[in-house]
């Protein structure tokens, strides 16, 4: 190993702090005693290369959590996390969550590196669901109950006036509190009773009416999601929500906020390095 390589490795600590902790160049300069010019050089050196691929970690993951978040609309960063140890195994930026082509490229690449999923917990993104099922036939798709609950309550409104909306809202509130098969059976029975009583009426609501059309959406969503809502009751390794990724997204946004002026072509490797260094 030559002296130049050793030098870069010694300087890596400042790049790591810049990525992980969101330190600004000026703050790093004050604690490292390096000039801002020197720190720009260090950061650019590492940003010009991709981090190593953790193939062993990718191959170990069997239960996944998948989600995305906007950083610069319309582009997102999409992430897949190991549900068993809550470490992120891969991310992709820039990405469009509804792009089957981009999802297939990202997830297909992980499959080639050894990712073999038994289940994945995600929101209701149809493109993502189709892609996971195409790449891993037989995979268990667990719908995120928190996403279902939030969206359903929003569509039903905070204080609904109509009886069908009031009853459906009560069902949405219950979704994240189901812990036993008996509670699941009671929930399914109550939803079926609600559907038998109000389903046809709601189906005939005009789509042009904002409140009524949202109630139609809420009904459609929960009926379509129902078959994939309760796999976690049979397997404790399957999480019922993507909340673990919500915390990760909060941290990456906080760190990235100090680097918002980063050139677009450098952001790609920035997020790869963040995923590599900041696993949890």
């Amino acid at each position: 190993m030559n002296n130049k390589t050793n030098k870069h490795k010694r300087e890596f600590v400042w790049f790591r702090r810049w990525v992980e902790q969101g330190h600004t160049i000026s703050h790093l300069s004050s604690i490292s005693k390096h000039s801002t010019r020197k720190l720009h050089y260090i950061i650019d050196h590492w940003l010009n290369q991709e981090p190593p691929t953790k193939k062993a970690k990718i191959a170990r993951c069997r239960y996944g959590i998948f989600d995305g978040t906007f950083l610069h609309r319309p582009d997102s960063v999409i992430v897949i996390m190991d549900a068993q140890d809550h470490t992120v195994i891969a991310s992709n930026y820039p990405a469009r969550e509804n792009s089957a082509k981009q999802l297939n490229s990202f997830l297909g690449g992980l499959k080639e590196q050894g990712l073999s999923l038994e289940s994945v917990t995600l929101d209701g993104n149809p493109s993502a669901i189709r892609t996971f099922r195409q790449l891993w036939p037989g995979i268990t798709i667990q719908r995120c109950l928190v996403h279902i609950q939030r969206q359903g309550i929003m569509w039903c409104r905070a204080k609904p006036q109509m009886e069908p909306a009031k009853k459906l809202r009560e069902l949405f509130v219950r979704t994240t509190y189901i812990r036993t098969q008996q509670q699941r059976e009671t929930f399914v029975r109550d939803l079926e009773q609600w559907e038998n009583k109000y389903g046809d009426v709601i189906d005939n609501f005009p789509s042009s009416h904002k409140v009524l059309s949202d109630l139609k959406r809420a009904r459609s969503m929960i009926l379509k999601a129902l078959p994939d809502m309760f796999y976690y009751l049979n397997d404790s390794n399957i999480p019922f929500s993507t909340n673990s990724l919500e915390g990760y997204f909060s941290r990456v946004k906080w760190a990235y906020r100090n680097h918002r002026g980063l050139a677009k072509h450098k952001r790609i490797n920035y997020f790869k390095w963040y995923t590599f260094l900041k696993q949890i």
Side-chain angles (χ1 to χ4, degrees), residues 18-19 85 111 134 187 198 212 239 266:
W18 180 81
V19 172
D85 63 10
K111 183 178 181 180
Q134 288 168 0
F187 177 86
Y198 301 112
L212 299 182
K266 294 181 180 180

Side-chain angles (χ1 to χ4, degrees), residues 209-265:
H209 190 288
K210 176 61 177 174
V211 175
L212 299 182
S213 63
D214 280 351
L215 183 55
K216 292 179 73 171
R217 291 189 184 97
R219 167 183 175 251
S220 176
M221 177 183 68
I222 198 166
L223 292 178
K224 289 179 180 178
L226 187 61
D228 296 322
M229 286 177 61
F230 300 113
Y231 291 115
Y232 68 95
L233 294 175
N234 298 319
D235 189 338
S236 60
N237 291 306
I238 299 175
F240 68 77
S241 79
T242 62
N243 276 5
S244 296
L245 272 179
E246 295 297 325
Y248 181 83
F249 288 143
S250 295
R251 290 188 290 276
V252 72
K253 286 180 178 180
W254 178 87
Y256 177 66
R257 193 173 297 122
N258 289 328
H259 310 319
R260 282 176 295 185
L262 195 64
K264 189 171 183 179
H265 69 278

Side-chain angles (χ1 to χ4, degrees), residues 4-31:
K4 191 171 183 180
T5 301
N6 280 326
K7 178 172 172 288
H8 286 310
K9 286 186 176 295
R10 288 195 304 271
E11 294 170 345
F12 182 77
V13 62
W14 306 116
F15 174 73
R16 182 168 195 146
R17 290 191 183 189
W18 180 81
V19 172
E20 281 189 311
Q21 300 172 27
H23 287 327
T24 62
I25 295 290
S26 59
H27 179 67
L28 286 177
S29 180
S30 67
I31 61 177

Side-chain angles (χ1 to χ4, degrees), residues 12-271:
F12 182 77
V13 62
W14 306 116
F15 174 73
R16 182 168 195 146
R17 290 191 183 189
W18 180 81
V19 172
E20 281 189 311
Q21 300 172 27
H23 287 327
T24 62
I25 295 290
S26 59
H27 179 67
L28 286 177
S29 180
S30 67
I31 61 177
S32 69
K33 307 306 179 185
H34 288 309
S35 67
T36 57
R37 182 178 180 181
K38 172 66 174 179
L39 288 165
H40 277 294
Y41 171 80
I42 293 170
I43 290 166
D44 284 345
H45 169 79
W46 290 103
L47 278 183
N48 285 332
Q49 53 190 298
E50 294 186 7
T53 300
K54 294 188 175 181
K55 289 187 177 181
K57 183 165 187 56
I58 292 172
R60 284 197 302 270
C61 181
R62 292 291 179 270
Y63 298 87
I65 305 173
F66 177 83
D67 203 357
T69 188
F70 284 114
L71 290 167
H72 297 276
R73 290 181 181 271
D75 292 325
S76 306
V77 57
I78 54 176
V79 175
I80 186 160
M81 172 181 277
D82 190 322
Q84 294 184 287
D85 63 10
H86 293 150
T87 58
V88 171
I89 64 169
S91 67
N92 189 40
Y93 175 89
R96 306 285 177 91
E97 288 187 72
N98 293 319
S99 170
K101 182 178 179 180
Q102 290 188 22
L103 288 169
N104 190 70
S105 175
F106 172 56
L107 295 172
L110 292 175
K111 183 178 181 180
E112 290 177 0
Q113 294 173 39
L115 183 60
S116 180
L117 291 173
E118 295 179 22
S119 81
V120 64
T121 301
L122 40 60
D123 64 15
N125 184 331
S127 295
I129 292 173
R130 282 194 299 269
T131 302
F132 275 103
R133 284 181 169 151
Q134 288 168 0
L135 290 172
W136 292 281
I139 190 174
T140 296
I141 301 289
Q142 168 66 49
R143 290 287 299 274
C144 173
L145 300 190
V146 173
H147 277 86
I148 292 172
Q149 184 184 71
R150 287 175 183 168
Q151 187 65 69
I153 288 175
M154 186 183 77
W155 276 335
C156 289
R157 302 297 192 272
K159 295 180 180 180
Q161 302 301 309
M162 299 176 59
E163 191 66 17
K166 289 180 181 178
K167 297 297 183 182
L168 185 56
R169 189 182 189 279
E170 291 172 3
L171 287 169
F172 278 118
V173 170
R174 287 164 54 186
T175 54
T176 57
Y177 296 97
I178 297 169
R179 297 291 182 272
T180 67
Q181 291 292 349
Q182 184 175 355
Q183 290 173 334
R184 180 195 68 83
E185 291 170 6
T186 301
F187 177 86
V188 172
R189 182 200 63 205
D190 292 347
L191 178 59
E192 289 175 346
Q193 290 177 350
W194 179 90
E195 172 64 14
N196 290 335
K197 186 173 183 179
Y198 301 112
D200 288 342
V201 175
I202 294 174
D203 199 35
N204 290 318
F205 282 164
S207 298
S208 57
H209 190 288
K210 176 61 177 174
V211 175
L212 299 182
S213 63
D214 280 351
L215 183 55
K216 292 179 73 171
R217 291 189 184 97
R219 167 183 175 251
S220 176
M221 177 183 68
I222 198 166
L223 292 178
K224 289 179 180 178
L226 187 61
D228 296 322
M229 286 177 61
F230 300 113
Y231 291 115
Y232 68 95
L233 294 175
N234 298 319
D235 189 338
S236 60
N237 291 306
I238 299 175
F240 68 77
S241 79
T242 62
N243 276 5
S244 296
L245 272 179
E246 295 297 325
Y248 181 83
F249 288 143
S250 295
R251 290 188 290 276
V252 72
K253 286 180 178 180
W254 178 87
Y256 177 66
R257 193 173 297 122
N258 289 328
H259 310 319
R260 282 176 295 185
L262 195 64
K264 189 171 183 179
H265 69 278
K266 294 181 180 180
R267 294 175 199 159
I268 297 172
N269 278 357
Y270 169 82
F271 288 110

